Amino acid sequence: MAVGTGIGFLDATPASAAGVPAPPEPFDLYDLSDALTDAARPTANLITVVVNEDGTVSFDLPRSENGQGIPTAIAMIIAEEMDLPGDKVKVTLADARPELLFSQLTGGSNTIHAMYTPVRVAAAIAKGKLLDAAAAIMQEQAAQLTSREGLITGPAGQVLGYGDLAKAAAVSKTVPTGIPTLKPASEFRIVGKPTGRIDARDIVTGRKKFSMDLDIDGAVPTMVCRPPTINGKPKSLNNKAEVLAMPGVVDVAIITTGVAVCAGTVDGESDETVYKKLKAATLPLLPAAPGTKVIDTEFRSNFVSGSPLETNCAVADVRKGSAEIWSALKVPITAQAEIAERLGRPQLAVKVHVVQGGGSFGRKLFPDAALEAAETSPPRPRRQDLAEGRQDRQAHAAPRG
């Protein structure tokens, strides 16, 4: 039996017997999203809407995009509040920012709940500065100006674009500002209307770039073989020489969670060459019994996985005094701290770039792929490095199998 305590809504008479709706449960009044919004609130306004001289607006989103479409939603909110065409808003993902605390955590379907008002406020302040700059140039009162589609129009028909006002509206230092008046919902033209994702064409045409698609200079693919037990750790590497002798293998080493094997690409291989090898390795059918009708044909069926488009992965470039990580991290601040601890470095010496991910459902709350990539990357002599007199180690990608 589950028993819930009050918050002032208990009634000794069963609601069903009385024929009235049941009182709200505690989670109806305050759920996970409410808790996440309140946790983010102290730093939620540490965001910036940037107006560029070409008339576009840029925003660095302190969240992780793994297919939810939040860059599109944020772009819609900014475009709505600033009276801009939607395609004039460019949303990118922010690097790890420790000062944001819980305001850089992606989870619980909370991003729009937590960021809707802060983003609107930032956009409204930006539009207000543009109106003030236009009023000064036109020698008019700001209240007499109207904004539409990225243009500000004066009572005499004068027109200035947002890009034309970007420099004039800029300030050289941070100044306090009051809470602006937000656009009433009755005037919304974008928010609440069907809108296609801003990255839809890139997704369906294969141009979308995820962590594993990044072309980081010097990155070498790395796979980690883990113990068969939960939280198991490797004891020894017994066939290191054999692995190093395999074609394309660059290095092999024990790390905290398993054995990392670093290997380059196999030149000359393609889908067709792999298919031919598979076909050659296929055992022939047994001879049919005499008089049996035989239909001999070949079927080629590509396996379609229902898992996320992108496996859990990261790219790391660790140097003597710094480290740089690229991954679809949902809590990049925690990842930054854990990576710094494992590498024995100050947290701010680790730069974490949040990359768009191909699926998550909570999995990328945990930075294990980034940790493995970082641990695999520290300087360690490689065979060709020794031959060429180099002691540096290039960045390594660490795909999760």
Side-chain angles (χ1 to χ4, degrees), residues 39 57 76 82 108 135 139 145 219 237 239 241 252 288 296 301 313 317 327 351 364 373 376 389 391:
V57 169
M76 291 170 65
M82 293 192 70
Q139 297 295 298
L145 308 183
L237 177 55
N239 62 337
V252 58
D296 188 358
S301 177
C313 61
D317 188 0
S327 189
K351 191 167 188 177
K364 288 170 183 171
T376 305
Q391 294 295 317

Side-chain angles (χ1 to χ4, degrees), residues 2-82:
V3 178
T5 58
I7 318 188
F9 290 100
L10 287 182
D11 191 327
T13 304
S16 58
V20 297
E25 297 289 341
F27 54 77
D28 292 323
L29 303 173
Y30 192 84
D31 61 12
L32 173 61
S33 188
D34 296 321
L36 291 172
T37 300
D38 286 341
R41 204 179 300 279
T43 59
N45 289 299
L46 297 179
I47 53 178
T48 305
V49 170
V50 178
V51 180
N52 305 303
E53 290 184 63
D54 63 358
T56 62
V57 169
S58 302
F59 182 73
D60 228 11
L61 174 62
R63 291 294 192 277
S64 174
E65 161 67 12
N66 286 280
Q68 320 95 293
I70 53 177
T72 300
I74 294 295
M76 291 170 65
I77 294 168
I78 294 172
E80 183 70 80
E81 199 64 48
M82 293 192 70

